[in-house]
Amino acid sequence: MGKQPPEASNGRLTLLTLARDLGVSRATVSNAYNRPDQLSPALRARILARADELGFSGPDPMARGLRRGRVGAVGVLVDEGLSHAFSDPTTVLFLDGLARELQLDGLGLLLHAGRGDGVMLRSIRDAAVDAWVVLSLPDGHPAVSAVRSRGRPVVVLDQPFLPGVPLVGIDDAAGGEAAVRHLLGLGHRRLAVLTMPLQAGGREGRADVRRQQEATYQVMTRRLAGAAAAAAEAGVSWDQVTVVECMANEPDAAARAVAGLLAGPGAPTGVFACSDQLALGVLRAARGAGIRVPEELSVVGFDDSPPARVAEPPLTTVAQPLRGRGRTVGALVRALIRGEEVSSPAKSPVRLVLRSSTGPLGGRDRSSRARA
Amino acid sequence: MGKQPPEASNGRLTLLTLARDLGVSRATVSNAYNRPDQLSPALRARILARADELGFSGPDPMARGLRRGRVGAVGVLVDEGLSHAFSDPTTVLFLDGLARELQLDGLGLLLHAGRGDGVMLRSIRDAAVDAWVVLSLPDGHPAVSAVRSRGRPVVVLDQPFLPGVPLVGIDDAAGGEAAVRHLLGLGHRRLAVLTMPLQAGGREGRADVRRQQEATYQVMTRRLAGAAAAAAEAGVSWDQVTVVECMANEPDAAARAVAGLLAGPGAPTGVFACSDQLALGVLRAARGAGIRVPEELSVVGFDDSPPARVAEPPLTTVAQPLRGRGRTVGALVRALIRGEEVSSPAKSPVRLVLRSSTGPLGGRDRSSRARA
DNA sequence: TTGAAAGCGATACCAA
DNA sequence: TTGGTATCGCTTTCAA
C-alpha cells in the first residue's frame, strides 16, 4: 500500500482511479479503450460502464499524447485574420476538404491566423500538433520558419516553396496564360490584370514591373508570368497591359481598385482578375459604372469558386480543384504522420471554364461606352 | 552518472539534452522559457541562443500541457461540415471575434465539425483542449453531451441551453417581434416567415404549428414566438402566416423554398426571413420571378451580416453584434480557464435596421404583380 | 488475460 | 540565482 499513489488525492478522475475502483490494473483499463482485443468483452463492457457512471470520459488526451507522441491535431497556418481567410470561398472549400480527409484519422484542425506577429509565433511554438499545413503564405512569412523549426511534418499549399517540403499546387502560369490568351483570342487588346496583394500588406494601384518582380506571393508571380507569355505570343507588349494590385483578395478591394480605370479614357476592354473574388469586384464596379459585361467589358476570373457560377453574368474563369486540393493535402499529412515518405504530387492541371462574362470585342453597341 | 537518464538516447531534443549541453540543470532551461525573471539575462540569452543553434524549438507542448494541466487550445463545435459553417458570414465573424479574444491568452481554436457521428464523438473525446465552445447546436446533439462529459469549461453560443453552463445569446423573440411588427406597420397582412432548419437535417416546405413546436433549434422557436406575438398584437392570426422551413441556412435553399410561394396566388407581400442568408435567397427568387422589392414585396432579414448591406436592395434586418459575440464568448472562456466563476451575460439587445428592402404595402404599381 | 514497472518531457516546489 | 526531485496521466513491453 505504501508505495501506491494516493487514492485520487487530486479529486480528478484518472485511469488509476477507475482501475482501483474496479479492482483491476490501469493497463487493463487502458486496454479497454485502446485495444479491445486485449481483454474479454465482458470485462471491457464492465469497465466502460463504470467509467460512464463515474463520469470518466476516457484517457487524458495530453498524457496519452505525451506517451504516444501524437495528439491528433494538425496545425493550419492562414494569412491575416480568420475573417479574411474565411471570407474567401476558395479557402473555405479547401479547409472543408482538408478537414474531411483528416477526420479519417480522427485528426482535428488547429487554426493559427495572423500576420506573423509575436503572438502568432508564440502560439505556434506552443501548439500541440502532429503536423502542419501552410496555407498559401508569402515568402519570408515568419510563421513558416517557426513551423519548420518545430520539427514536425509540414505540407504547403501553393506557397512558399520550401526545399524538402511537399507542396500541393497548380499550374498557375498555365492558368494565367489561358485566361489572357482567351481575352486576346476574342480580339481584346486593351487589357488589364488585377492581382491580389503582391506582398504582405498589399498596396492599391498600378504595379510596375519592378513591383511585380518583387512579389513575395509566388502564385501571383507565376500567374502574371503566364499572362505575360500569352501577351507576348500575341505580339502585345507587357508594358501595354495595366497591372493593378488590390489591397486584399476581396470584391470590395477590387471594385475600389478598378473604379478609376474603367471610367477613364483608354479603359481596358478585357480584364483578367487573378481570383474570382477580384473578378466579382470588377463586375460590381462595371455595373456601378453602367458598363455592360460582356458587351463592353470582358472579365476572366480564377478559381471557379461557387460564387463564380452564380455571378451576373456567370464568370468565365480558370478552374482549379478546390475541395480536392484539401483532400490531397490531407492525404499527404496523414501519410507523413504515419511516418511515410512523400513527395509533392504533380501540379493539378487547370482548365478554362467559359461562361458569359467574356465575349468578342465590340460584341454589341460600344458607343454607349463613350463618356466624359 | 549511472542514475542519470540516457544522453538523448532518443535522438530527440529535449530540455535535458540542452541542459546537459550547456552544463546547467533542466529547471534552468525551463525557466529560460517560462520565467525569464528567474535567471540572469545573460544566462537566458546563452540558453536561447544555443537552443536555436541546436534546433530546439522550446519545451514540448504535450509534456508541458500534461504538467501544467493546460494546452492552450479551445475546442469549437460547429454544426454540419466546415464549408456549411463557413459559408455563413455570421459564423465567420463570430469565429474571428472569438479567435482574436482567445489570442490574448495565446489560445488556439480546434475545430470540430459534424452531425455528431461516431468520428466526431471520438475526436471530441480525444481532443486536447482547455475548454469548449458550442456553436449553436440543436437540442440533443450528441456532441454536446460528449463535450460536457469531458469535464472542462463550456460556453454555449445561442443554443442549446444547458443548466449551469454560461450561454451567450440575444433576445431572439424581440428580434422576431420587431421584424414582423415592422412589416405589419407598413400595412402588410399577407405574411410569410422563412426559417432555417427546425431540426437537425432540415425539411423543406411549410412548417405547421406542430413542426414549429417540435423544433430543436431553440433560436428558431424563439424568433417564431416573437413573430407570432407581433402578429397577435395586430390581430393577425398566426394560422394566416405562412411559415416555410428551408433545408439549410443558405440563399439557394431559401430561393428554392419560396419560389412557388412567391409565384402563387395570394402570395405574401411581406416576408420575414430568420437570417440574412435566407433573406438574400428571397431577394434572388423575387428577382428571378420579376417581383420588385420593396414595391411589390417587402423582405426583412436577421443578423445584419455584411452581405445585407450590399444586397440589392440593401436589406432591412434585425441587427445583432456578430464579431462582438465572439469576443464575449472568448472572454468568458478565458475567465473559466483561469478558474473564475462566470455566469451568462445579459442577452444582447437587438435592433431593427431599416434599409430599402421594405416599404409600405402597394408602395407603387402592384398591377404588374398579377399573373397566371 | 492480466499486472508490475519503466518512462514520455516538462514544471514547480523546496533547498542550497 | 540555481539545482534536485516528485509528479502530471498514460502506454507499453515483459512476466506471470
Side-chain angles (χ1 to χ4, degrees), chain B:
Chain B
M1 269 200 200
K3 191 181 170 193
Q4 292 182 357
E7 174 79 10
S9 61
N10 209 357
R12 273 176 64 58
L13 230 41
T14 77
L15 271 195
L16 182 57
T17 325
L18 187 56
R20 286 271 178 66
D21 178 279
L22 287 158
V24 300
S25 91
R26 9 210 263 259
T28 305
V29 179
S30 172
N31 283 333
Y33 283 97
N34 304 308
R35 305 172 157 196
D37 51 314
Q38 295 297 301
L39 38 56
S40 68
L43 178 55
R44 179 172 134 92
R46 193 158 69 88
I47 293 178
L48 262 30
R50 186 64 181 140
D52 204 51
E53 264 176 52
L54 259 37
F56 177 72
S57 56
D60 180 283
M62 242 115 75
R64 138 186 299 197
L66 173 58
R67 185 59 241 235
R68 301 223 285 207
R70 287 185 289 106
V71 255
V74 173
V76 179
L77 261 45
V78 309
D79 211 357
E80 311 284 336
L82 246 36
S83 62
H84 255 92
F86 292 165
S87 68
D88 180 6
T90 295
T91 304
V92 169
L93 284 178
F94 170 83
L95 286 176
D96 189 65
L98 179 63
R100 281 171 207 264
E101 184 71 23
L102 293 179
Q103 203 155 69
L104 263 31
D105 284 345
L107 295 164
L109 290 186
L110 188 55
L111 261 30
H112 293 263
R115 291 213 177 157
D117 50 14
V119 184
M120 187 182 190
L121 297 186
R122 256 198 100 77
S123 73
I124 288 175
R125 211 195 61 187
D126 294 341
V129 300
D130 301 329
W132 298 95
V133 172
V134 171
L135 210 37
S136 206
L137 255 31
D139 293 346
H141 194 296
V144 174
S145 42
V147 151
R148 297 200 69 186
S149 75
R150 281 291 306 272
R152 300 247 172 203
V154 179
V155 177
V156 171
L157 178 75
D158 285 334
Q159 55 191 14
F161 170 77
L162 303 170
V165 174
L167 180 147
V168 171
I170 61 171
D171 194 338
D172 290 294
E177 193 171 339
V180 169
R181 184 179 291 144
H182 172 61
L183 289 173
L184 289 163
L186 290 169
H188 298 279
R189 284 299 176 274
R190 291 212 307 276
L191 301 180
V193 176
L194 224 57
T195 79
M196 308 182 228
L198 295 174
Q199 297 189 12
R203 170 201 297 176
E204 180 173 307
R206 290 286 279 268
D208 56 22
V209 175
R210 173 169 179 158
R211 172 83 181 167
Q212 295 173 35
Q213 286 170 341
E214 282 172 349
T216 50
Y217 284 96
Q218 294 304 330
V219 162
M220 283 302 100
T221 312
R222 293 193 294 265
R223 292 186 191 171
L224 287 174
E233 185 186 80
V236 172
S237 157
W238 186 241
D239 298 331
Q240 297 167 38
V241 177
T242 314
V243 177
V244 177
E245 176 176 353
C246 302
M247 282 292 290
N249 184 28
E250 293 169 353
D252 283 349
R256 260 197 320 272
V258 297
L261 188 65
L262 296 182
T269 63
V271 174
F272 165 43
C274 284
S275 79
D276 287 347
Q277 289 288 92
L278 298 180
L280 294 174
V282 176
L283 292 186
R284 188 181 300 164
R287 198 179 310 132
I291 300 170
R292 287 170 300 146
V293 175
E295 292 84 353
E296 301 173 276
L297 178 69
S298 283
V299 180
V300 183
F302 204 115
D303 292 335
D304 194 20
S305 60
R309 286 189 276 280
V310 301
E312 298 181 30
L315 268 180
T316 291
T317 187
V318 178
Q320 61 166 319
L322 297 177
R323 198 177 258 119
R325 298 191 327 138
R327 298 211 83 123
T328 305
V329 169
L332 291 179
V333 168
R334 293 174 59 207
L336 285 170
I337 290 180
R338 281 194 302 265
E340 299 171 15
E341 298 273 328
V342 313
S343 50
S344 305
K347 293 181 176 182
S348 316
V350 295
R351 179 176 53 91
L352 186 68
V353 177
L354 299 179
R355 298 212 181 88
S356 8
S357 66
T358 51
L361 179 56
R364 265 217 235 161
D365 171 20
R366 285 193 52 75
S367 64
S368 69
R369 185 70 179 286
R371 53 188 68 230

Side-chain angles (χ1 to χ4, degrees), chain A residues 14-15 26 30 34 67:
Chain A
T14 77
L15 270 195
R26 7 211 264 260
S30 172
N34 304 306
R67 183 62 238 238

Side-chain angles (χ1 to χ4, degrees), chain A:
Chain A
M1 268 204 205
K3 192 180 171 192
Q4 293 183 357
E7 173 79 8
S9 60
N10 209 357
R12 270 175 67 56
L13 230 43
T14 77
L15 270 195
L16 183 57
T17 325
L18 188 56
R20 286 273 178 64
D21 178 278
L22 287 159
V24 301
S25 89
R26 7 211 264 260
T28 304
V29 179
S30 172
N31 283 334
Y33 283 97
N34 304 306
R35 307 172 156 194
D37 52 314
Q38 295 297 300
L39 37 54
S40 66
L43 178 55
R44 179 171 133 91
R46 192 157 71 90
I47 295 178
L48 263 30
R50 187 66 180 140
D52 204 51
E53 262 176 55
L54 259 38
F56 178 71
S57 57
D60 179 283
M62 242 114 77
R64 137 186 301 197
L66 172 58
R67 183 62 238 238
R68 304 224 282 209
R70 288 184 287 106
V71 254
V74 173
V76 178
L77 262 44
V78 310
D79 211 357
E80 311 283 337
L82 246 35
S83 62
H84 256 92
F86 293 164
S87 67
D88 180 5
T90 296
T91 304
V92 169
L93 284 177
F94 171 85
L95 285 176
D96 188 64
L98 179 64
R100 280 170 208 265
E101 184 71 22
L102 292 180
Q103 205 156 68
L104 263 30
D105 284 346
L107 294 164
L109 290 185
L110 188 54
L111 262 31
H112 294 262
R115 291 214 176 155
D117 49 13
V119 183
M120 189 184 190
L121 297 185
R122 258 197 98 77
S123 73
I124 288 175
R125 212 195 62 188
D126 295 341
V129 299
D130 302 329
W132 297 95
V133 172
V134 171
L135 211 38
S136 204
L137 256 31
D139 293 347
H141 193 295
V144 174
S145 43
V147 150
R148 297 200 69 186
S149 76
R150 281 291 306 273
R152 300 249 171 200
V154 179
V155 177
V156 171
L157 179 75
D158 284 333
Q159 55 191 12
F161 169 77
L162 303 170
V165 174
L167 180 147
V168 171
I170 60 171
D171 195 338
D172 290 294
E177 194 171 339
V180 170
R181 183 179 293 143
H182 171 61
L183 290 173
L184 289 163
L186 291 170
H188 298 280
R189 283 302 175 273
R190 294 211 307 275
L191 301 180
V193 176
L194 223 58
T195 79
M196 307 182 227
L198 295 174
Q199 296 188 15
R203 171 201 295 176
E204 179 172 307
R206 289 286 279 267
D208 56 21
V209 176
R210 172 168 180 158
R211 173 82 182 166
Q212 295 172 36
Q213 284 169 344
E214 283 173 348
T216 50
Y217 284 95
Q218 294 304 330
V219 161
M220 283 301 100
T221 313
R222 294 195 293 267
R223 293 185 190 171
L224 287 173
E233 184 187 82
V236 172
S237 158
W238 187 241
D239 298 330
Q240 297 168 39
V241 177
T242 313
V243 177
V244 177
E245 177 177 353
C246 302
M247 282 292 290
N249 183 28
E250 293 169 354
D252 284 349
R256 261 197 320 270
V258 296
L261 187 67
L262 295 182
T269 64
V271 174
F272 165 43
C274 284
S275 77
D276 288 345
Q277 288 288 93
L278 298 180
L280 294 174
V282 176
L283 292 186
R284 189 180 301 167
R287 198 178 312 134
I291 300 168
R292 285 171 301 146
V293 176
E295 291 83 356
E296 303 174 274
L297 177 69
S298 282
V299 181
V300 183
F302 204 114
D303 291 335
D304 194 22
S305 60
R309 284 190 276 279
V310 301
E312 298 180 31
L315 269 180
T316 291
T317 187
V318 179
Q320 61 167 319
L322 297 176
R323 198 177 256 120
R325 293 181 346 129
R327 298 211 82 123
T328 305
V329 169
L332 291 178
V333 168
R334 292 174 60 207
L336 285 169
I337 289 180
R338 281 194 302 263
E340 298 171 16
E341 298 272 328
V342 313
S343 51
S344 304
K347 293 181 177 184
S348 315
V350 295
R351 178 176 55 89
L352 186 68
V353 177
L354 299 179
R355 298 212 181 88
S356 6
S357 67
T358 52
L361 179 56
R364 271 222 227 156
D365 172 23
R366 285 191 55 74
S367 64
S368 69
R369 184 70 178 287
R371 55 189 66 232

